[in-house]
Amino acid sequence: MIDQALVVFTPSGKRGRFPVGTPLLKAAQSLGVDIDSVCGGRGLCGRCQVVVGTGEFAKHGITSRTNHVSDWNKIEERYKSKRGMQDDRRLSCQAVLVKDVVIDVPEASQVHKQVVRKRAEVRDIELDPAIRLHYVVVQEPDMHNPSGDLERLLAALEDQWGLTALEADLRILQNLQQSLRAGNWRITVAVHRGQVITAIWPGFHDRSYGLAVDIGSTTVAAHLCDLASGEVIASSGLMNPQIRFGEDLMSRVSYVMMNPGGDREMTDAVRRAINELADAVCEESGIDREEILNATFVGNPVMHHLLIGIDPTELGGAPFALAANSGITLWASQLDLRFHPNARVYVLPCIAGHVGADTAGVILSETPHLTEKMTLVVDVGTNAEIILGNRDRLLACSSPTGPAFEGAQISCGQRAAPGAIERVRIDPETLEPRFKVIGSELWSDEEGFVEETRKTGITGICGSGIIEVLAEMFLAGILAQDGTIDGTAASRSPRIQPDGRTFSYLVHDGTPEIRIVQNDVRAIQLGKAALYAGIRLLMDRLGVEQIEQIMLAGAFGSHIDTKYAMVLGMIPDCPLENVYSAGNAAGTGARIALLNQNARDDIEEVIRQVEKIETAVEPNFQAHFVEAMGLPHSSASFPNLSKAVTLPAASNPSAANDSAAGKGRRRRRPA
């Protein structure tokens, strides 16, 4: 009779001999095989499913057959009938060793499974959430061996799961006795980071969820994730209600300074918004919001402080002092968030007074600190966050770009919504435009466009449309290098029209009339010059003249055409194939921190190494800013961009404009 059998687990390759009759799960755990389980081997959770290999495995020197493990038992049959299981799968907690065998652990059964990202160039997320569920059987009370229910629960967790030195607060203790007796001394326990008991349920419970939240100055977005699979099961977003206190961050800080209690108003507003988002994603996915056991948050420093109830006044002036720049773990109830009563939340660390937890999220998502290439990451918004460096050194700063990129301060600008122009092309010969609006896939010169856009209308132009129309105007010769709309181009097209002492370009001759005026160009120039100047400061500090790859992050960055961003000089020259959108990288960083607890420790370590540059006190900022006002730049060369587009020769149409504008006032074209 065989006393021991050899078992080899794939894909890990770990192997060992165990007595016949040893459950596969026990063998796997003793070898350190990555295999999941919530129920502790009782056949309830189904997470430990494996596949028994069949055939000759010369590499391992094993002939493996399905009958080299025990037959199906009643527990497996019951699980399959109730919850379903593939025919070739076995529950490793129930199947025991009979002979030498090869066992494959599918990815879905692994504890640290990979949550695959859509972009190949960014690493996948290793699933290792801060919240883990543990099903235990607790010894019943005994008059001859008196001990408290909590002490017997802690003893069961240590004996059955190896968890020691756990803490439990009053709320756990208040519900413990009822839960134990309702579950007939069987209970499921949620443990946060192997340290704190945060939730208990009578009997077996295997559902836990987390919320990753990106608090932007304009919008708040939330993603509800299944902590067992890493899957995003629902997402929702809304306008940040703090906008009524000021569109930009400094306006909100000023509101606090001028209105006692203003910080409390804004804190209450954003917390209510988060609760609304939690309700929305829970309703969409059909779960109770009390099943949210963990949450992570990113946001700029002002949003960060207001979320956790800190007056942001100190961020309104030099030295822009943060209250704290380390990650913060709190109870959700401390932030008035209506999740599980004992849910824990983690707020990612800020970097500097104007470089916040959202930038930490971007770093966590895009990992510039792990690459050899000189990498630029730009999160474009009202206040742009800029990261430059590689594995050797990483710098960060912010730059006050203003709201023009989002459509504010633009005469016909609006936020991205149905009816807004988002794409523009201009014929370089006729100067005639064609465009696309949000809500339609058709271009304006295509058949059916009028009918398809009748409901929404053509209402304005959003940020991506502003970038494209100005870049196209420059490439077509309508805009000069200094940003002046060239009035002499009126001889080529009636769309160039006098506008006081300057000129405008008519994009849409309808209701409303949509045109680009000189002040629109100047607003974009100011924003892009501030952005470029911030980037140039970091390049100077690192002593580099060439950037090898550029990532545009944020909602705005994900919608603009990278080529046009370079044509305007928002970013330095770089091979265009190495310039791409990183999407909502800050939100992705929040999701990574939610799904991988070690990522929280990693990002705090990385942030301690980041060098912070304060643009407001850098003497060279103004000089770089002035040079960056030109299109794409007053002096910098763009050899990589020149391979993709033909950049116009430098010109100065100011004198010709004065003459043309004078004539134009006597024969202005009717609108």
Side-chain angles (χ1 to χ4, degrees):
M1 182 176 179
I2 300 174
D3 294 328
Q4 289 194 327
L6 175 65
V7 58
V8 178
F9 290 95
T10 61
S12 67
K14 294 181 178 180
R15 56 194 289 153
R17 289 192 175 275
F18 297 89
V20 169
T22 301
L24 296 176
L25 178 62
K26 184 176 181 181
Q29 291 173 334
S30 68
L31 291 172
V33 174
D34 188 17
I35 190 166
D36 202 0
S37 177
V38 169
C39 66
R42 295 174 175 85
L44 298 173
C45 68
R47 295 190 183 180
C48 66
Q49 295 179 31
V50 296
V51 177
V52 180
T54 58
E56 302 289 335
F57 293 85
K59 176 181 178 182
H60 304 299
I62 291 178
T63 298
S64 181
R65 300 280 186 264
T66 55
N67 61 0
H68 288 195
V69 299
S70 60
D71 293 335
W72 279 66
N73 63 19
K74 291 182 179 179
I75 292 176
E76 288 178 292
E77 295 286 1
R78 182 185 64 194
Y79 180 87
K80 183 176 182 180
S81 65
K82 287 187 174 183
R83 305 182 70 172
M85 187 164 66
Q86 295 179 27
D87 291 338
D88 65 342
R89 299 287 178 92
R90 296 294 303 273
L91 296 182
S92 63
C93 62
Q94 301 302 311
V96 303
L97 277 173
V98 174
K99 292 183 180 180
D100 295 354
V101 69
V102 173
I103 300 295
D104 182 61
V105 182
E107 186 178 18
S109 298
Q110 297 170 20
V111 175
H112 302 99
K113 60 179 72 74
Q114 297 290 307
V115 181
V116 179
R117 299 284 304 282
K118 291 182 178 179
R119 294 210 336 274
E121 68 273 14
V122 180
R123 63 184 174 85
D124 298 336
I125 303 171
E126 182 180 285
L127 187 61
D128 184 17
I131 295 290
R132 289 209 170 274
L133 303 182
H134 305 279
Y135 177 76
V136 292
V137 178
V138 180
Q139 183 181 353
E140 296 185 34
D142 185 345
M143 290 182 63
H144 302 289
N145 184 22
S147 64
D149 284 350
L150 176 61
E151 286 68 30
R152 281 180 281 103
L153 170 61
L154 295 175
L157 285 164
E158 181 174 359
D159 178 60
Q160 296 167 38
W161 290 99
L163 296 170
T164 60
L166 292 176
E167 300 175 9
D169 71 359
L170 178 60
R171 283 172 290 197
I172 293 296
L173 196 57
Q174 288 171 334
N175 295 305
L176 178 60
Q177 293 192 309
Q178 297 93 321
S179 297
L180 281 170
R181 285 152 183 81
N184 194 25
W185 307 102
R186 288 163 171 78
I187 190 171
T188 303
V189 180
V191 178
H192 179 263
R193 304 209 70 177
Q195 299 170 335
V196 181
I197 296 174
T198 58
I200 54 176
W201 298 269
F204 177 70
H205 182 91
D206 67 346
R207 300 201 331 171
S208 60
Y209 300 92
L211 198 67
V213 184
D214 178 9
I215 306 174
S217 55
T218 304
T219 59
V220 183
H223 307 283
L224 181 67
C225 299
D226 185 324
L227 295 181
S229 67
E231 178 187 3
V232 177
I233 59 175
S235 297
S236 187
L238 47 72
M239 297 293 293
N240 189 329
Q242 295 175 344
I243 284 178
R244 68 177 183 268
F245 302 103
E247 285 220 352
D248 60 83
L249 298 177
M250 288 304 101
S251 294
R252 295 179 203 178
V253 174
S254 297
Y255 182 86
V256 173
M257 293 176 175
M258 299 173 64
N259 297 274
D263 58 320
R264 186 71 247 176
E265 288 183 77
M266 282 189 273
T267 292
D268 291 343
V270 75
R271 290 178 180 178
R272 283 195 302 271
I274 294 166
N275 281 322
E276 288 177 23
L277 285 176
D279 288 341
V281 293
C282 286
E283 182 178 354
E284 180 183 338
S285 56
I287 73 166
D288 191 288
R289 66 168 178 257
E290 290 199 357
E291 291 184 88
I292 298 176
L293 301 179
N294 203 204
T296 51
F297 293 90
V298 296
N300 60 58
V302 174
M303 296 300 98
H304 170 281
H305 279 40
L306 288 172
L307 169 68
I308 57 183
I310 297 174
D311 186 329
T313 299
E314 290 298 323
L315 299 174
F320 312 107
L322 291 162
N325 69 336
S326 56
I328 301 173
T329 300
L330 302 164
W331 299 107
S333 57
Q334 290 177 281
L335 303 183
D336 303 321
L337 301 177
R338 300 193 303 267
F339 305 158
H340 186 280
N342 258 21
R344 298 285 263 172
V345 302
Y346 175 74
V347 186
L348 273 70
C350 288
I351 299 175
H354 285 143
V355 187
D358 49 354
T359 306
V362 171
I363 293 174
L364 191 54
S365 172
E366 305 309 308
T367 62
H369 58 292
L370 299 180
T371 182
E372 293 183 0
K373 294 180 178 179
M374 184 54 60
T375 300
L376 172 68
V377 185
V378 182
D379 193 342
V380 185
T382 304
N383 198 64
E385 286 84 26
I386 306 165
I387 304 156
L388 180 65
N390 56 18
R391 63 174 54 183
D392 298 322
R393 193 177 174 194
L394 204 63
L395 275 63
C397 74
S398 67
S399 199
T401 51
F405 290 141
E406 297 177 346
Q409 298 180 347
I410 303 298
S411 60
C412 53
Q414 66 165 88
R415 301 196 187 279
I421 294 174
E422 61 171 345
R423 294 281 178 262
V424 181
R425 300 291 182 269
I426 297 175
D427 187 300
E429 299 299 326
T430 66
L431 305 187
E432 280 297 302
R434 60 192 187 97
F435 52 82
K436 292 177 72 173
V437 301
I438 297 175
S440 172
E441 291 301 314
L442 298 176
W443 287 88
S444 58
D445 59 348
E446 291 183 307
E447 186 177 349
F449 174 82
V450 174
E451 291 75 14
E452 191 166 293
T453 58
R454 185 167 285 124
K455 281 188 177 180
T456 62
I458 301 168
T459 54
I461 187 164
C462 65
S464 62
I466 293 287
I467 299 303
E468 292 199 4
V469 70
L470 293 189
E472 283 279 314
M473 288 170 66
F474 175 62
L475 294 175
I478 300 170
L479 278 184
Q481 186 183 26
D482 67 357
T484 303
I485 298 177
D486 187 354
T488 62
S491 62
R492 299 167 56 197
S493 170
R495 289 187 177 272
I496 289 81
Q497 302 170 6
D499 185 38
R501 294 184 60 84
T502 60
F503 285 81
S504 67
Y505 175 72
L506 183 66
V507 179
H508 173 60
D509 190 4
T511 305
E513 186 179 75
I514 298 172
R515 64 174 65 241
I516 301 298
V517 301
Q518 190 63 65
N519 283 342
D520 298 335
V521 182
R522 291 290 180 249
I524 294 296
Q525 282 183 280
L526 292 170
K528 76 97 178 179
L531 177 57
Y532 191 100
I535 296 169
R536 188 65 240 189
L537 282 177
L538 299 190
M539 293 175 68
D540 290 348
R541 186 65 64 93
L542 281 176
V544 300
E545 290 297 326
Q546 185 63 47
I547 293 172
E548 295 174 272
Q549 64 179 1
I550 300 176
M551 307 174 191
L552 298 178
F556 178 70
S558 66
H559 287 96
I560 61 176
D561 188 303
T562 55
K563 177 182 72 176
Y564 289 122
M566 194 177 292
V567 167
L568 285 189
M570 293 173 61
I571 51 178
D573 188 60
C574 180
L576 281 170
E577 64 270 20
N578 295 340
V579 184
Y580 54 87
S581 167
N584 182 14
T588 298
R591 189 163 67 91
I592 293 172
L594 177 69
L595 298 177
N596 187 304
Q597 57 183 319
N598 292 321
R600 306 179 185 188
D601 304 326
D602 292 343
I603 192 59
E604 294 200 33
E605 178 61 29
V606 172
I607 292 310
R608 283 191 283 270
Q609 309 303 320
V610 174
E611 300 175 46
K612 300 87 176 175
I613 309 300
E614 183 53 65
T615 57
V617 296
E618 284 289 327
N620 291 333
F621 182 84
Q622 190 62 29
H624 285 312
F625 177 86
V626 172
E627 284 288 288
M629 284 291 287
L631 302 178
H633 193 273
S634 297
S635 58
S637 61
F638 282 73
N640 288 291
L641 178 62
S642 297
K643 296 175 185 177
V645 300
T646 302
L647 295 175
S651 63
N652 187 350
S654 298
N657 273 1
D658 289 340
S659 173
K663 296 176 184 177
R665 280 192 295 272
R666 291 190 294 272
R667 55 178 181 84
R668 182 163 183 166
R669 182 181 183 272

